[in-house]
Amino acid sequence: MLSAKAIYEEIFDNDEAFQLFCSIAASGEAQGGWENGRIAALVPESYQDLAPKIARHGADEDKHGRIFNALLRKRGLDPVPVPAETDYTMRLEGDGLGLAHNQLRRDTALTEHDIITYLAHSRVTEQRASEQMQTLRKYIGDHQDVGRAIAMISNDENNHLAYCNEELLRLASEGHEDTIRRTLRTTALAEIAIYRDVSKAVMAHLGSILRWPPPKSAVLAGGIQAVYIYERLGGWRRMVTLRMPARRNALGGPASAALSRLPSGNSLTIVREWTRRWWARSGASTGPSRSGSAR
């Protein structure tokens, strides 16, 4: 039977497919952790109130990467290299969305416009991440370990989305509405095309592993294309609408306070220390190993 639930069950029941699925997810989350860590370190003086929240965002993403690697390790699997065409995060960066990695590697403070770009980019990509996690939670089946991990990640992604909405609304009220609106529209229209291409590439690789017949692969590719058409015709607007979230200050509170108590230093070090402490509180002696290296 060709259903979303059946497709996910095939992926989760096959070690090689599960290995690729988690490796792709872990790599993207680790990359997001690095990006947010660098942004937190480079926040301009006028936006220092955002730095702990951005660092918390990065800590969450880094934690998610470690969780996906932990799922692999529990099944006795190692991360595998991520095919370039399936790397959503690097495809976004390669197409000029968000802040360029070359810029983030320098020790030059970001500008106000950079902060708006970062938040608008995050607003769009966190919408995607939140929806993906909700889909996984719906179709996770009998895989309880995966289900618990996805539920935790899903809650974090919802917090990230709430944070982006709240901060962008605050900046819009301070006179940046036109810039935010333009940036959100440009980012969303580019993201939906990248997501389509990456989704087709991921399905092609998984289909090869699972030996799907050509008609099945064609139907799935057609479904991905249909989603893109819907999004291009107007579905993209859900990714740019700003609403005050029910979860106010979603990345503030105790977590941000804990970050502020960590030793001063490079923000990526702070992110890793926060992640280590999270794993310690969760009962694990150490976090799982990272897939690849942070850039």
Side-chain angles (χ1 to χ4, degrees):
M1 179 179 178
L2 190 59
S3 66
K5 183 176 176 61
I7 294 298
Y8 281 116
E9 285 180 349
E10 282 191 75
I11 294 168
F12 294 147
D13 289 341
N14 181 283
D15 279 351
E16 189 178 354
F18 185 76
Q19 188 177 34
L20 179 61
F21 178 88
C22 287
S23 295
I24 291 172
S27 176
E29 297 285 3
Q31 187 64 47
W34 177 84
E35 290 174 355
N36 280 277
R38 289 302 301 152
I39 291 167
L42 301 174
V43 168
E45 286 296 327
S46 56
Y47 286 88
Q48 279 301 307
D49 60 311
L50 280 178
K53 297 179 182 180
I54 298 171
R56 161 73 182 273
H57 189 177
D60 285 348
E61 302 291 2
D62 196 64
K63 177 183 72 180
H64 300 166
R66 292 172 181 270
I67 289 171
F68 280 113
N69 278 325
L71 291 173
L72 285 176
R73 196 169 59 190
K74 188 160 187 177
R75 281 175 65 161
L77 302 171
D78 294 320
V80 295
V82 174
E85 64 273 19
T86 69
D87 195 328
Y88 172 78
T89 305
M90 294 306 295
R91 284 289 310 275
L92 292 172
E93 198 267 345
D95 279 28
L97 299 183
L99 300 179
H101 290 181
N102 286 339
Q103 179 183 8
L104 296 181
R105 292 189 185 98
R106 299 193 294 266
D107 289 326
T108 304
L110 301 174
T111 65
E112 182 176 69
H113 185 268
D114 290 332
I115 295 300
I116 292 173
T117 298
Y118 152 70
L119 286 170
H121 175 267
S122 296
R123 163 66 183 91
V124 171
T125 57
E126 293 301 334
Q127 178 80 39
R128 184 71 71 187
S130 176
E131 291 172 353
Q132 285 181 321
M133 290 303 111
Q134 289 172 23
T135 299
L136 283 172
R137 292 183 73 172
K138 184 177 180 180
Y139 298 117
I140 208 69
D142 296 327
H143 298 268
Q144 294 183 0
D145 289 343
V146 179
R148 285 192 295 269
I150 295 302
M152 181 184 299
I153 294 171
S154 179
N155 184 66
D156 287 344
E157 301 296 6
N158 291 339
N159 282 337
H160 300 165
L161 183 57
Y163 145 76
C164 292
N165 270 276
E166 185 172 0
E167 296 301 335
L168 284 170
L169 284 169
R170 179 172 66 86
L171 288 171
S173 71
E174 294 174 0
H176 302 288
E177 182 176 357
D178 290 343
T179 300
I180 290 170
R181 194 182 303 278
R182 286 195 305 271
T183 306
L184 282 171
R185 186 181 191 279
T186 300
T187 302
L189 290 175
E191 190 276 346
I192 62 174
I194 291 170
Y195 180 73
R196 173 201 59 194
D197 295 344
V198 168
S199 296
K200 287 183 177 181
V202 171
M203 284 297 112
H205 281 277
L206 291 173
S208 177
I209 292 170
L210 296 168
R211 298 182 180 180
W212 287 338
K216 182 174 182 177
S217 295
V219 169
L220 290 172
I224 293 168
Q225 184 65 24
V227 170
Y228 169 73
I229 292 171
Y230 155 74
E231 292 191 329
R232 189 64 184 83
L233 291 176
W236 63 272
R237 296 184 186 279
R238 77 189 189 286
M239 309 177 88
V240 305
T241 302
L242 297 179
R243 296 186 180 90
M244 187 57 69
R247 301 184 186 190
R248 302 291 293 273
N249 196 27
L251 296 189
S256 289
L259 279 169
S260 68
R261 291 195 297 270
L262 293 175
S264 60
N266 181 277
S267 182
L268 183 55
T269 302
I270 293 174
V271 166
R272 286 173 173 166
E273 175 63 11
W274 171 253
T275 305
R276 184 191 66 77
R277 293 186 184 186
W278 182 89
W279 276 99
R281 289 198 304 273
S282 299
S285 58
T286 59
S289 58
R290 180 190 297 265
S291 171
S293 59
R295 296 186 53 184

